[in-house]
Amino acid sequence: MGGKLEETVSILIPIYNEEGNLSLLYDRLDSALKKMGRAYEIIFVDDGSSDGSLDILLDLREKNPNVKIISLSRNFGQTAALSAGIDSSKGDIIIPMDGDLQNDPEDILPLLQKIEEGNDVVSGWRKGRKDPFLTRRLPSIIANRIISWIGGVYLHDYGCTLKAYRRDILKNIKLYGEMHRFIPAYAGAVGAKIIEVPVQHYPRRLGKTKYGLERTIK
C-alpha cells in the first residue's frame, strides 16, 4: 500500500435537486478535505436535476479546480450516477457520499484512517440514524439482515452511501438497479478485508428525500 501523500482520493456525490444544500455541503467538504494532506477530486454527478443544482455546481467548479461535474441527460438513479462517477474517477481511494447534508464530510477522515490500516472497504454505519422508523429505518434493518445472510458479509448498514473503497475493489464490478448497496458483499466474495465504522447522520434540513419504501423493496 502506498504512503499517505501518494494515495489520491476521489469523492463521489450524486446530486438530484439539492440546490438548497450544495453551497454548505461544499464548504464542509472543503474544510474536511484540507485536513487530509493528500491530493483529491470531488466528482459531482448531476442526475438530471430540474432545479438550479447544475448551475450551482458549475459555480463551485469555478472556485475549485479539483471539482469535476458529470451531467446526466435525465434522472437515472443513484446507482447509475455512482457508476458514472466511478468510471470518471482517478483516485486510489474512492469515497461516495450523499449530497443532502445527512452525511458528515468530517467522517471521511476516520474512513481513510481505516483504509490506511490495511482494509479494502470501510463501510459507514449510521448508528444514530435520523430517518423515520417505519418507512426508512425498519425496512432498512430487514434489508440489511437479508443482504448479510445472502452475501455472507455482516454489516449493520448496507444502505449508507458513505463508504471508502480501494480502487482495485471496484474496477471489475458493474453496477445496475440498486446494486451499489451490495458492493461490500461482492468485495467479500473476492477476499476483500471489510470493516464497518459508526458515522454521523443528520436529519434532512432542506429539500425532499428522493427515496421511499418502494426503493427498499426494489
Side-chain angles (χ1 to χ4, degrees), residues 65-166:
N66 294 318
V67 171
K68 297 170 61 176
I69 300 170
I70 300 171
S71 179
L72 303 184
S73 59
R74 63 174 177 84
N75 180 233
F76 287 93
Q78 190 177 23
T79 297
L82 286 172
S83 182
I86 291 168
D87 289 344
S88 176
S89 67
K90 306 297 183 185
D92 303 301
I93 301 165
I94 298 174
I95 302 180
M97 64 181 295
D98 288 328
D100 56 9
L101 289 176
Q102 290 194 265
N103 292 147
D104 189 340
E106 291 290 335
D107 282 324
I108 291 171
L109 304 178
L111 265 62
L112 284 173
Q113 178 62 41
K114 293 299 181 182
I115 290 286
E116 289 176 5
E117 291 173 7
N119 297 289
D120 301 302
V121 178
V122 184
S123 185
W125 170 19
R126 297 164 294 181
K127 196 171 183 180
R129 187 173 175 181
K130 308 299 183 184
D131 284 325
F133 179 75
L134 288 178
T135 59
R136 299 292 299 280
R137 286 158 49 205
L138 179 60
S140 181
I141 290 169
I142 295 170
N144 287 320
R145 290 179 179 175
I146 292 172
I147 298 169
S148 292
W149 175 63
I150 293 173
V153 175
Y154 293 91
L155 300 178
H156 294 88
D157 194 0
Y158 269 90
C160 181
T161 303
L162 184 59
K163 293 178 169 67
Y165 302 99
R166 289 210 160 274

Side-chain angles (χ1 to χ4, degrees), residues 30-49:
D30 186 55
S31 175
L33 295 177
K34 284 176 178 175
K35 300 174 184 178
M36 288 195 311
R38 65 177 85 196
Y40 70 89
E41 62 181 358
I42 306 170
I43 303 177
F44 289 104
V45 184
D46 182 65
D47 191 19
S49 294

Side-chain angles (χ1 to χ4, degrees), residues 134-136 139-140 142-143 146-147 178 181-182 211-218:
L134 288 178
T135 59
R136 299 292 299 280
S140 181
I142 295 170
I146 292 172
I147 298 169
E178 296 290 330
R181 302 170 184 277
F182 290 84
Y211 315 127
L213 182 58
E214 72 282 353
R215 182 173 172 183
T216 304
I217 296 170
K218 190 175 176 183

